[in-house]
Amino acid sequence: MRKAFNQELLKIAEKDPRVFMILADIGYGEIEPFANAFPDRFINCGVAEQNMTGVACGVAMEGNIAVTYSIANFPTLRCLEQIRNDVCYHDANVKIVIIGGGVSYGELGISHHSTEDIAIMRALPNMVVLVPSDIVEARAATHAMMAYDGPVYYRCGYKGEPDLHDGKNIPDFRIGGSSLLREGKDATMFFAGPIGINAVKAVDALAVEGIQCRLVSLYSIKPIDKEAIMRAARETGGIVVLEEHNLYGGVGSAVAEVLMDEGCGNVPFKRLALPDVNVTKVGSQAWLRDQYGLGVADVANAVKDMVK
Amino acid sequence: MASEAKRECCSLARRIRLHCLHMVYNGKSGHIGSMLSTADIYPVLYTQVLNVDPAFPKKPDRDRFLLSKGHGGAALLACLAELGFFPLGWLNRYYCDDGKLSGHISHHVPGVEFSTGSLGHGLPVACGMALAAKQAGKTHRVFVMCSDGDLNEGSSWEAIMLAGQHRWDNLVMLVDYNRLQALGRSEDIINLDPLAPKLEMFGWRAVEADGHDFASIESALKNVPIEKGRPTAVIFHTVKGKGVSFMENEYKWHYGGLTEELLAKALKEVGEA
């Protein structure tokens, strides 16, 4: 996914001279084409994320589009106040891109996991939050983000994520939209990010058993596709939300907020998220998902429990 | 410095101080000491140095000025109001319900380039503006005023290192070096001395001036950037609470709290007519 993002960004920067890349010494093997093509619009601030974000804000205040880019929590939590006071308060055209959402960097440990980011970023005024699930959405989200005038948080995966869209583009991709992957009436599963592969596998297995579960990628968490959520509440038997994020404040919370605000609090509802504990087990992303209750069987069982 | 300019600066500085005292008293706010230490710098900066126009606060070729020590913003607000960036009447509602002016500086006010309040934010943003100006071939300068406390922040030093590395000579840091911060003397908390050599070692060109002597301020600022290929730092030696005897060099006036009696005494000392 990170490759898809960098390729699209390069294409956009070729056409738009306002695009700057502001880094903090992360991006080896991916950012070099941008750095070589646009040396005057590329700066490595060194290992200094607060400064990276402040510099990006200053660049953006002068009429440019500044992209910050780093691993997991580095460009978000390390410099949260710069994002809040500088970027969001000034509505600056800064795009904050993380590589390695959730537990993508599983074996590296919690310093490299991004598991509270959605909750924190979506609480910031003016901030748009995008969570693409595969390379199709990653490419589309890059273009949507760069065309939007204002702060955007873009939670990218890492590498080698499976394509959930069978290579088909999403013609109506938009900030505030969602992507329907499977139709169904028995229940709806919403997800965000590359964890969607477990949702696809679970929903396809359920179909074999005769359970028709609607499957929707909520690639835009803020603003969120209220219409899709309300349709799910009206038309299907219940809602399950799957995310690779702490249980509190993430995608499940965002969906629940919509349901409650719209008077649909009585719809059967279940969140599947990382429990509110520190991830201390050591292992790959796929293994950690299984260990913390987000495996394919967990996802399928959650739907079964709801529809039985 | 021409005597007429000096008289103008002296008068403006006195009015800034009077406004600050009234604003802090009316709003029941604090930080008066941090305002008064800068009150002599703004008149020179805004009437003799910066390319700015109150009628066109956003004119593209303006020099940028960022106040990183946003808690002392009332002095800048008073200066901007005196110069006509916004009505003087706004000052009366500083720190008040439904007023236009908050306790920390906000870009929603005409003439204010950037909002601050938490320290360590000004220099990084100024670096970004300097980078953007260089990249676009623009010739305006980016000024940022910092303080002792502001230079405690790691983010300030991240920016200082980056500016030196990239030789942004369109960047000018002004330091309100009053040697006091919220809980006491800077030398007892984080001693920045010797500041000028430190900055020089980081690739900057640093000069020192008396922040309460108009000729000294003008002399330091009139030729910035001082050296091609280096960012400039002007370290202004100042006195916290300058102009009010009972506030001068007393760190408790970082926060302060003016009674009616103390206000009257202070106004008299500053010279309210």
Side-chain angles (χ1 to χ4, degrees):
Chain A
M1 275 176 82
R2 64 174 180 175
K3 188 170 288 299
F5 163 76
N6 278 291
Q7 287 170 343
E8 296 311 307
L9 183 68
L10 189 63
K11 285 184 209 163
I12 294 164
E14 280 165 0
K15 291 182 186 156
D16 190 338
R18 298 174 302 159
V19 178
F20 280 65
M21 214 172 181
I22 318 287
L23 298 194
D25 212 31
I26 290 287
Y28 175 76
E30 297 294 341
I31 52 77
E32 291 82 355
F34 190 108
N36 293 333
F38 312 111
D40 65 328
R41 291 191 270 143
F42 173 90
I43 187 165
N44 181 354
C45 295
V47 187
E49 291 78 11
Q50 294 180 71
N51 195 34
M52 168 181 77
T53 305
V55 167
C57 184
V59 165
M61 296 288 287
E62 295 295 328
N64 301 298
I65 309 172
V67 178
T68 64
Y69 173 101
S70 192
I71 288 174
N73 296 314
F74 304 171
T76 51
L77 303 196
R78 181 61 181 249
C79 45
L80 180 56
E81 197 184 72
Q82 278 76 13
I83 295 173
R84 177 183 180 270
N85 295 11
D86 302 347
V87 175
C88 289
Y89 185 46
H90 294 83
D91 204 12
N93 208 353
V94 174
K95 317 304 180 187
I96 298 151
V97 177
I98 71 153
I99 303 304
V103 294
S104 301
Y105 288 104
E107 302 89 337
L108 288 179
I110 72 146
S111 64
H112 285 57
H113 297 166
S114 186
T115 48
E116 307 81 21
D117 52 325
I118 294 172
I120 293 166
M121 289 296 114
R122 79 184 184 93
L124 297 169
N126 285 343
M127 184 66 87
V128 165
V129 177
L130 299 179
V131 184
S133 66
D134 64 0
I135 58 167
V136 172
E137 288 186 358
R139 290 185 195 282
T142 306
H143 287 274
M145 169 172 75
M146 298 304 287
Y148 174 81
D149 184 10
V152 178
Y153 173 57
Y154 179 108
R155 187 202 221 212
C156 195
Y158 179 35
K159 62 182 179 183
E161 288 84 1
D163 172 12
L164 308 182
H165 288 79
D166 302 322
K168 293 184 199 122
N169 286 331
I170 308 165
D172 59 345
F173 189 100
R174 62 189 170 83
I175 288 173
S178 63
S179 175
L180 177 69
L181 295 181
R182 301 283 189 276
E183 192 45 281
K185 294 282 187 190
D186 294 328
T188 299
M189 174 160 302
F190 289 107
F191 69 90
I195 187 73
I197 185 58
N198 285 5
V200 169
K201 285 179 180 172
V203 165
D204 288 349
L206 290 168
V208 173
E209 296 178 33
I211 297 170
Q212 305 300 321
C213 183
R214 184 178 293 181
L215 184 58
V216 179
S217 169
L218 278 176
Y219 55 73
S220 178
I221 307 302
K222 184 185 172 189
I224 200 162
D225 191 346
K226 284 186 188 176
E227 268 305 304
I229 294 166
M230 294 310 295
R231 272 199 306 276
R234 282 195 305 267
E235 298 170 4
T236 72
I239 292 174
V240 176
V241 185
L242 173 65
E243 60 185 315
E244 197 167 313
H245 184 277
N246 186 289
L247 184 63
Y248 295 116
V251 186
S253 300
V255 172
E257 288 162 15
V258 172
L259 292 171
M260 293 301 290
D261 287 347
E262 301 298 322
C264 288
N266 57 347
V267 67
F269 181 81
K270 171 79 176 168
R271 290 181 292 161
L272 290 175
L274 292 168
D276 184 34
V277 298
N278 288 305
V279 172
T280 52
K281 295 181 183 179
V282 179
S284 68
Q285 181 178 31
W287 186 82
L288 287 173
R289 285 170 176 169
D290 288 346
Q291 289 294 308
Y292 288 94
L294 305 179
V296 176
D298 302 309
V299 178
N301 287 337
V303 178
K304 274 190 206 169
D305 289 347
M306 186 170 281
V307 302
K308 72 185 175 190
Chain B
M1 190 178 202
S3 56
E4 192 181 334
K6 200 169 182 174
R7 270 198 305 277
E8 189 189 345
C9 287
C10 186
S11 166
L12 182 52
R14 186 175 58 83
R15 282 175 282 148
I16 288 171
R17 285 195 167 88
L18 294 173
H19 286 309
C20 287
L21 289 165
H22 283 294
M23 289 161 80
V24 165
Y25 177 75
N26 289 339
K28 297 183 174 57
S29 73
H31 295 129
I32 182 70
S34 311
M35 299 163 189
L36 296 180
S37 61
T38 62
D40 296 314
I41 299 168
Y42 291 128
V44 181
L45 189 65
Y46 271 86
T47 67
Q48 308 296 315
V49 180
L50 294 180
N51 170 23
V52 290
D53 183 349
F56 302 100
K58 290 283 181 191
K59 71 170 185 161
D61 68 341
R62 71 190 181 282
D63 287 324
R64 276 61 168 164
F65 174 75
L66 291 79
L67 179 63
S68 193
K69 46 166 287 181
H71 57 284
L76 174 60
L77 293 171
C79 179
L80 293 173
E82 280 287 343
L83 296 176
F85 279 89
F86 57 85
L88 275 166
W90 289 13
L91 301 180
N92 300 332
R93 304 287 300 153
Y94 168 79
Y95 218 87
C96 294
D97 290 351
D98 205 27
K100 292 182 183 296
L101 309 175
S102 55
H104 292 89
I105 203 86
S106 170
H107 67 291
H108 293 111
V109 177
V112 177
E113 195 72 51
F114 200 75
S115 300
T116 56
S118 177
L119 296 176
H121 285 247
L123 268 165
V125 174
C127 279
M129 291 178 171
L131 163 64
K134 285 275 179 191
Q135 192 270 343
K138 293 177 179 168
T139 56
H140 64 259
R141 299 164 296 176
V142 183
F143 292 75
V144 54
M145 186 186 282
C146 304
S147 64
D148 303 74
D150 201 34
L151 292 175
N152 288 182
E153 292 279 4
S155 53
S156 294
W157 290 92
E158 292 177 3
I160 287 166
M161 288 191 282
L162 190 74
Q165 173 77 24
H166 290 276
R167 301 176 171 275
W168 288 321
D169 55 15
N170 55 348
L171 178 65
V172 183
M173 166 170 49
L174 314 178
V175 184
D176 171 24
Y177 203 37
N178 61 40
R179 295 173 179 274
L180 292 176
Q181 50 195 92
L183 294 185
R185 297 191 309 167
S186 301
E187 69 174 87
D188 297 332
I189 299 165
I190 292 289
N191 190 359
L192 293 167
D193 277 342
L195 183 56
K198 269 186 192 136
L199 293 169
E200 294 259 348
M201 289 175 77
F202 279 75
W204 288 58
R205 189 75 174 79
V207 296
E208 306 192 50
D210 180 341
H212 300 301
D213 180 292
F214 299 115
S216 179
I217 297 166
E218 196 220 16
S219 169
L221 290 178
K222 70 181 175 188
N223 290 322
V224 292
I226 295 169
E227 187 179 325
K228 193 169 168 50
R230 282 180 184 234
T232 297
V234 181
I235 300 162
F236 287 114
H237 294 277
T238 56
V239 173
K240 198 157 195 155
K242 176 72 177 179
V244 178
S245 60
F246 60 87
M247 293 182 187
E248 287 187 2
N249 281 323
E250 289 288 340
Y251 78 87
K252 76 169 190 172
W253 289 100
H254 179 85
Y255 294 115
L258 270 174
T259 61
E260 191 176 350
E261 185 186 355
L262 288 174
L263 172 71
K265 194 175 169 193
L267 290 172
K268 193 175 173 189
E269 285 193 23
V270 174
E272 186 166 67

